[in-house]
Amino acid sequence: MGPKKRKVLPARGRRRGLCAELGPGLCAELEPGAGLCAELEPGLCAELEPGLGAGQELEPGQELEPGLGAGQELEPGLGAGQELEPGQELDPPQQQEEGPLSSVYFNTAEMTNGRLSSSFFNRPCVTLAKEFLGQVMVRKFPDGREVKGRIVETEAYLGGEDQASHSRGGRQTPRNVAMFMSPGTMYVYQIYGVYFCLNVSSQGDGAAVLLRSLEPLQGLDAMRHFRSQRRKNTGKLLKDHELCNGPSKLCQALDITKTFDRGDLATGTEIWMEPGPENISAADIVSTSRIGIGYAGEWFSKPLRFYIKGNKCVSVVDRKAEKVND
């Protein structure tokens, strides 16, 4: 007995935009004479507009929009004129593999010419303090030399009710005005009349992040030179991890002074930030209390200092906090 002849159902009733029933509650747009045949049930097919509905799955009662898919080519082995066994369904089209995910810390919109742009800094203070970890600080000198260090330790100062902050209670002075400027503004202040510390403003009135420690990456000889100019004991050669392991040491090694106060890290030509070579996961970050704020009452013990666990360049390691973070 020869193969059964398939019956071709003509399009009926209306012009383009009609719906032929494929199964209970399913339909597809018909176009008379289009020349493609989609299986309705074993042995039956209907003429479809080229590329219309091929390989698509419809919800019960859903109709394809008129002309949807017209002119599209079918994937090999799917769709028009294909004979199916009773109860067999077409294989869905294979999804293309997605590219690598962007960093959780920044994306291309947060970079300009390879530097971190203003959008990177525009986030809440604690978030920014954590996301600074792993990013690279770059200092360019007039002679063209560049020194670089990876940020490994920060502290968040929230302003407002934060009793350890220079802007507590909303206090704004000529000294701390940079804390109230747009995110990414440098706030450089002096301690003991000798040393400098570098902070970066974030979202929130008077909020800023103190950069505590760097891991030297480039220009270590220059860092040693600037550190030796400000050290009383110049006989001992500093080890690499001792060059920037503290907020004032960091500023000495990069020759950062009050002249950088109120400068913009996103547009600066002498100092800026670049994305780090690797992402820092939450498991790598230790949260603990800040340093040298015994006067701040209950704020003394707030876990607002963050550092990369296991990095030798961290200024003060808190083993107890590391166990809690494990």
Side-chain angles (χ1 to χ4, degrees):
M1 184 175 180
K4 291 183 181 180
K5 293 183 178 180
R6 298 186 299 167
K7 298 177 183 180
V8 177
L9 300 182
R12 324 176 266 180
R14 290 184 292 166
R15 294 187 300 274
R16 181 178 176 181
L18 287 183
C19 180
E21 190 164 312
L22 302 179
L26 301 179
C27 63
E29 297 287 333
L30 301 183
E31 177 69 25
L36 294 181
C37 183
E39 197 76 8
L40 302 182
E41 57 181 349
L44 298 179
C45 65
E47 304 262 287
L48 295 180
E49 185 176 292
L52 184 59
Q56 297 183 3
E57 292 187 5
L58 303 180
E59 299 292 333
Q62 180 183 356
E63 295 186 6
L64 292 173
E65 296 177 5
L68 182 62
Q72 295 177 346
E73 293 191 10
L74 302 179
E75 294 192 23
L78 297 179
Q82 181 178 343
E83 291 272 2
L84 301 178
E85 297 296 328
Q88 182 182 354
E89 296 182 358
L90 293 175
D91 293 332
Q94 304 221 344
Q95 294 183 348
Q96 296 182 347
E97 293 185 4
E98 296 183 357
L101 296 176
S102 61
S103 167
V104 295
Y105 295 104
F106 56 86
N107 55 45
T108 54
E110 294 173 334
M111 291 189 289
T112 302
N113 297 323
R115 305 180 184 187
L116 296 180
S117 66
S118 57
S119 61
F120 176 87
F121 305 102
N122 189 21
R123 58 196 71 205
C125 189
V126 170
T127 302
L128 184 61
K130 293 179 180 179
E131 295 185 0
F132 269 148
L133 298 176
Q135 313 307 335
V136 176
M137 175 75 72
V138 183
R139 172 76 164 94
K140 185 174 184 178
F141 299 109
D143 61 5
R145 289 180 302 161
E146 291 183 359
V147 297
K148 297 184 179 183
R150 186 170 74 129
I151 301 171
V152 298
E153 184 181 6
T154 61
E155 289 180 350
Y157 288 86
L158 310 182
E161 61 181 356
D162 184 351
Q163 293 301 303
S165 176
H166 290 178
S167 59
R168 58 186 175 274
R171 182 175 57 184
Q172 182 173 342
T173 68
R175 179 197 188 204
N176 72 358
V177 67
M179 300 181 77
F180 294 86
M181 295 174 68
S182 59
T185 301
M186 289 180 282
Y187 169 42
V188 182
Y189 64 88
Q190 198 168 27
I191 57 175
Y192 309 124
V194 179
Y195 305 112
F196 294 98
C197 295
L198 172 62
N199 302 255
V200 182
S201 65
S202 66
Q203 286 182 2
D205 284 343
V209 177
L210 171 67
L211 303 184
R212 281 199 61 89
S213 299
L214 298 181
E215 175 187 347
L217 299 177
Q218 177 179 315
L220 276 66
D221 288 341
M223 292 181 182
R224 284 193 176 87
H225 168 72
F226 287 115
R227 284 293 314 278
S228 65
Q229 287 184 331
R230 295 168 175 83
R231 294 177 64 219
K232 294 179 180 179
N233 179 15
T234 59
K236 181 182 176 183
L237 184 67
L238 290 172
K239 297 178 181 179
D240 292 354
H241 70 270
E242 296 175 324
L243 291 172
C244 306
N245 62 336
S248 294
K249 296 176 182 178
L250 181 161
C251 286
Q252 287 179 2
L254 272 62
D255 195 27
I256 295 173
T257 64
K258 188 69 174 177
T259 59
F260 287 97
D261 186 49
R262 307 184 194 180
D264 186 358
L265 274 174
T267 60
T269 58
E270 295 180 86
I271 186 168
W272 63 86
M273 286 191 188
E274 297 176 350
E278 60 185 26
N279 294 339
I280 305 300
S281 69
D284 297 324
I285 299 176
V286 179
S287 303
T288 185
S289 56
R290 294 171 290 186
I291 304 298
I293 58 166
Y295 57 85
E298 64 177 340
W299 285 87
F300 170 75
S301 59
K302 300 285 185 182
L304 294 174
R305 180 167 68 98
F306 310 99
Y307 67 82
I308 299 177
K309 184 177 180 180
N311 192 286
K312 290 182 63 175
C313 300
V314 172
S315 64
V316 180
V317 172
D318 188 333
R319 299 298 183 193
K320 184 176 179 180
E322 290 183 2
K323 291 180 180 179
V324 172
N325 281 266
D326 286 338

